[in-house]
Amino acid sequence: MNIKLILSAFLVGGLILLNEQVNVNAFPTSPLRARQDPGVGGTWKVVGKSGVNAMHAVLVSPRKVVFIDKLEENALKRPDGAAAISSEYDLDTNEVKPLGIYTNTFCSAGSWLGNGTLVEVGGDVGGDNYRIGIQTLRLYDTAVGDWVELEGIVPSNRWYPAMLTLPNGNVMVLGGSTAGTGKSKPEINNPTYMIYPPPSGTLVDVPLDFLTTTLPYNLYPMVHIIPNADGKTLLFMFANQMGISYDLDAGKTVTNYPNIPGGVIRSYPLTASSVMLPLSPTDNYNPTIMICGGSKTFEITAPAEASCGRLELSTANAAWEMDNFGGQGRIMPDSTILVDGSILFVNGAATGMAGFRKGAGITAIFVNEDPVLTPFRYDPFAKTYTTLAPSTIPRMYHSISTLVPDGTVLIAGSNPQPKVDLNEKYPTEYRVEIFSPPYLFTQSSRPVIISLQSTQIDNNRINVNYGQEVTMVVQIKPDGTTPSLKASIIHHGFITHSQNFSQRYVYLEITEMAADQTTADQYIVKLKLPPNPTIIAPGPSYIYVFNNDSPPQTGVPVLLSQAAAA
């Protein structure tokens, strides 16, 4: 829908409504457009070091990212002198500090509670200065800026589980294995899920047949909430080549989707990436999933798969729509939704599988090879790929990519090593890069968000509710064209192993826009938030208003929740 909002000119309480045509709610039902220099494919800049390898990453505030590694001898030290395996990275200073994790987090997972607390679960056996972490649950306290570990409370071992924020604000911990492995097998499979906090007061494992059916490729299963208006907790789950919709409340499979075509494995160690494409009120938040990359063969010389599948989850007799992934095969790609609703595919390898090298020195054999240095931008409306500027740093096993609220993308990690090694062909990588997408080089004015609900924008979250109409003050400098505004809310997720747990992008309806009579080039914009938590889960997210696909200077941190009962 592309609405021309024509407003009469008259004074209303210090506001003057616009007497010109302004494009608002410019929902992109056609290809994304920005008046950018066609010769600019984005830029890369090394800005700092992560301190620990970025096996996991999560944006914990507008200007801070937390990294989590496995147990290894990182140069960054905890206060007690032991090697750190978690760090906090400051995006303003590009400095890093160690965080207090004391259990092994190798191949764990994370997601946010609806109350804004980060939960991280699982890991591996202990070692020097670190205790066993495979049944540990960790909470990141954003007020303190550090971890609290609840050791041994998880009822079963969890290595390579998935996690998801549920519509009720709890988190689901799904699958994994009970011990480390290359690919899963029945004797170490964990075909269950658990919910935290536990509804019954006690953490329990609940069996899930899907995690047996999908053996041996069921580690880090893909899982997304399916939007609906019925208040149901419907989940899309995918592993190996198979996908289902699952009613969590009823405990049953609702739909068995067709296998993704082509005989390609899409789960660890033949790792693909999944993303729920942007949702819009114009089509009642009709969900489409996209899964890209993977391989056909459990073999270190096998080429990565150059294919993606799209599936409309709510369509009767849904069928996969396939493409060639921009013509480039990738194993272990990362998929990051950008501010304009396009998808950045970055990182990964063209050959092999996820895992550590075998041997060392001149006899070393890397199980992932041929790093793919060139990112692609996918337009989900035109269904096209654009090749962007390449990096020079290989980012393969244990790499991450996450959106930053200023519209850039932080990219870090790569450690195809069983332990820290700075001298191999593909070393343990600590360099942090910032990728600036092409939309940061447009001729369109970037909005500056001044306030939301009369609260000045800073690093603190602003409380908002489902279905609420919120008021935002936005400054847009003249650029010679009429503003064309869109708005969105984004949950940035928790990133590891090519999965971005709970990542979600939803377009917002702009219900009103007016010029502020008291301040030049300033506007009052009213936005309508999504109606229910199946569309985007409760918890920390960011609201954006952007102009001709040019993002704001920064998004607004919010804590989204249900309104309290009267």
Side-chain angles (χ1 to χ4, degrees):
M1 180 170 63
N2 190 348
I3 301 174
K4 295 281 190 177
L5 182 63
I6 305 175
L7 301 172
S8 303
F10 58 95
L11 193 63
V12 181
L15 304 180
I16 187 165
L17 297 182
L18 304 178
N19 62 357
E20 57 184 343
Q21 290 188 336
V22 177
N23 289 325
V24 298
N25 284 345
F27 297 121
T29 54
S30 58
L32 298 171
R33 302 182 188 279
R35 298 183 301 134
Q36 63 200 39
D37 181 344
V40 176
T43 62
W44 294 84
K45 184 179 181 181
V46 175
V47 294
K49 292 188 176 181
S50 56
V52 305
N53 178 251
M55 179 182 70
H56 303 333
V58 56
L59 182 78
V60 295
S61 73
R63 305 302 298 167
K64 294 186 188 299
V65 173
V66 164
F67 297 123
I68 306 168
D69 193 6
K70 62 184 175 67
L71 197 166
E72 57 184 335
E73 287 296 321
N74 293 301
L76 184 69
K77 304 303 180 185
R78 298 184 321 211
D80 64 0
I85 61 171
S86 182
S87 65
E88 178 191 272
Y89 188 85
D90 189 307
L91 289 159
D92 291 320
T93 65
N94 295 308
E95 295 180 350
V96 68
K97 73 174 187 179
L99 296 179
I101 283 182
Y102 296 86
T103 62
N104 191 359
T105 49
F106 181 35
C107 295
S108 48
S111 202
W112 292 92
L113 291 173
N115 67 7
T117 299
L118 178 64
V119 182
E120 215 268 356
V121 172
D124 205 356
V125 297
D128 292 343
N129 301 304
Y130 280 90
R131 300 183 291 275
I132 187 170
I134 202 164
Q135 289 183 258
T136 296
L137 185 147
R138 307 168 190 88
L139 302 173
Y140 180 82
D141 186 333
T142 55
V144 176
D146 213 338
W147 295 96
V148 174
E149 296 185 282
L150 305 177
E151 298 178 45
I153 74 163
V154 177
S156 60
N157 290 3
R158 299 279 179 182
W159 187 85
Y160 267 81
M163 289 180 65
L164 181 72
T165 307
L166 297 173
N168 65 3
N170 293 344
V171 296
M172 178 187 206
V173 185
L174 176 66
S177 63
T178 60
T181 184
K183 54 184 176 180
S184 196
K185 44 196 172 185
E187 57 267 31
I188 59 171
N189 188 34
N190 190 338
T192 69
Y193 70 85
M194 75 169 206
I195 305 297
Y196 180 84
S200 66
T202 302
L203 283 170
V204 295
D205 288 336
V206 181
L208 184 65
D209 290 342
F210 176 73
L211 294 172
T212 299
T213 305
T214 50
L215 279 169
Y217 299 106
N218 67 355
L219 298 177
Y220 277 137
M222 302 169 188
V223 58
H224 302 264
I225 299 170
I226 300 175
N228 65 90
D230 303 319
K232 295 181 178 180
T233 305
L234 295 176
L235 306 178
F236 173 76
M237 298 181 185
F238 184 96
N240 200 323
Q241 303 173 64
M242 293 169 263
I244 63 171
S245 66
Y246 187 82
D247 187 327
L248 188 64
D249 301 319
K252 66 179 183 180
T253 298
V254 177
T255 305
N256 286 289
Y257 295 108
N259 282 9
I260 194 166
V264 179
I265 307 302
R266 309 284 179 169
S267 298
Y268 176 86
L270 309 182
T271 306
S273 187
S274 72
V275 60
M276 179 78 75
L277 296 182
L279 300 169
S280 174
T282 60
D283 61 2
N284 294 316
Y285 308 102
N286 185 41
T288 298
I289 201 76
M290 189 172 187
I291 299 175
C292 296
S295 182
K296 292 181 179 178
T297 309
F298 186 75
E299 168 55 54
I300 65 174
T301 61
E305 182 67 16
S307 75
C308 289
R310 287 174 56 134
L311 186 69
E312 291 190 6
L313 301 181
S314 298
T315 300
N317 302 312
W320 290 95
E321 178 184 351
M322 305 301 294
D323 68 33
N324 72 350
F325 201 6
Q328 172 65 63
R330 287 183 204 249
I331 197 90
M332 304 174 296
D334 283 300
S335 51
T336 301
I337 309 178
L338 301 178
V339 176
D340 66 353
S342 62
I343 316 300
L344 179 73
F345 289 106
V346 67
N347 300 340
T351 305
M353 65 183 77
F356 296 133
R357 63 166 168 79
K358 312 298 182 185
I362 61 173
T363 63
I365 298 174
F366 284 87
V367 303
N368 34 97
E369 269 281 9
D370 303 319
V372 181
L373 301 174
T374 302
F376 291 157
R377 174 184 177 269
Y378 179 73
D379 184 330
F381 308 100
K383 302 179 182 179
T384 56
Y385 295 88
T386 302
T387 301
L388 302 178
S391 174
T392 60
I393 301 175
R395 304 282 188 184
M396 296 189 290
Y397 190 47
H398 287 186
S399 298
I400 61 85
S401 168
T402 187
L403 179 67
V404 177
D406 64 6
T408 62
V409 180
L410 181 145
I411 294 170
S414 193
N415 191 23
Q417 321 285 346
K419 60 182 180 180
V420 172
D421 193 328
L422 304 179
N423 299 312
E424 291 288 348
K425 176 171 64 171
Y426 304 124
T428 305
E429 185 59 70
Y430 293 110
R431 286 174 291 179
V432 174
E433 289 180 288
I434 292 293
F435 177 67
S436 297
Y439 57 38
L440 294 174
F441 301 91
T442 74
Q443 301 169 36
S444 298
S445 179
R446 293 184 66 182
V448 177
I449 303 172
I450 307 297
S451 67
L452 179 70
Q453 295 295 86
S454 302
T455 300
Q456 296 295 305
I457 304 306
D458 55 22
N459 290 330
N460 295 310
R461 298 170 184 159
I462 298 171
N463 294 320
V464 295
N465 303 129
Y466 291 98
Q468 183 181 7
E469 185 179 69
V470 296
T471 300
M472 178 180 284
V473 177
V474 181
Q475 185 181 75
I476 306 173
K477 295 292 186 182
D479 62 14
T481 65
T482 299
S484 181
L485 300 185
K486 294 185 285 291
S488 65
I489 184 169
I490 305 176
H491 180 74
H492 291 226
F494 181 105
I495 305 93
T496 188
H497 291 75
S498 300
Q499 310 309 315
N500 190 329
F501 299 128
S502 302
Q503 178 180 219
R504 189 62 69 99
Y505 184 110
V506 182
Y507 286 102
L508 300 179
E509 181 184 358
I510 300 175
T511 59
E512 186 178 317
M513 177 176 174
D516 187 342
Q517 177 75 351
T518 64
T519 306
D521 308 320
Q522 194 158 286
Y523 302 87
I524 311 300
V525 180
K526 292 188 176 182
L527 311 172
K528 189 67 175 292
L529 295 177
N532 73 66
T534 71
I535 296 164
I536 184 169
S541 289
Y542 291 80
I543 293 177
Y544 297 86
V545 168
F546 43 108
N547 176 29
N548 285 304
D549 298 323
S550 181
Q553 295 290 336
T554 186
V556 180
V558 298
L559 188 69
L560 180 61
S561 62
Q562 296 277 24

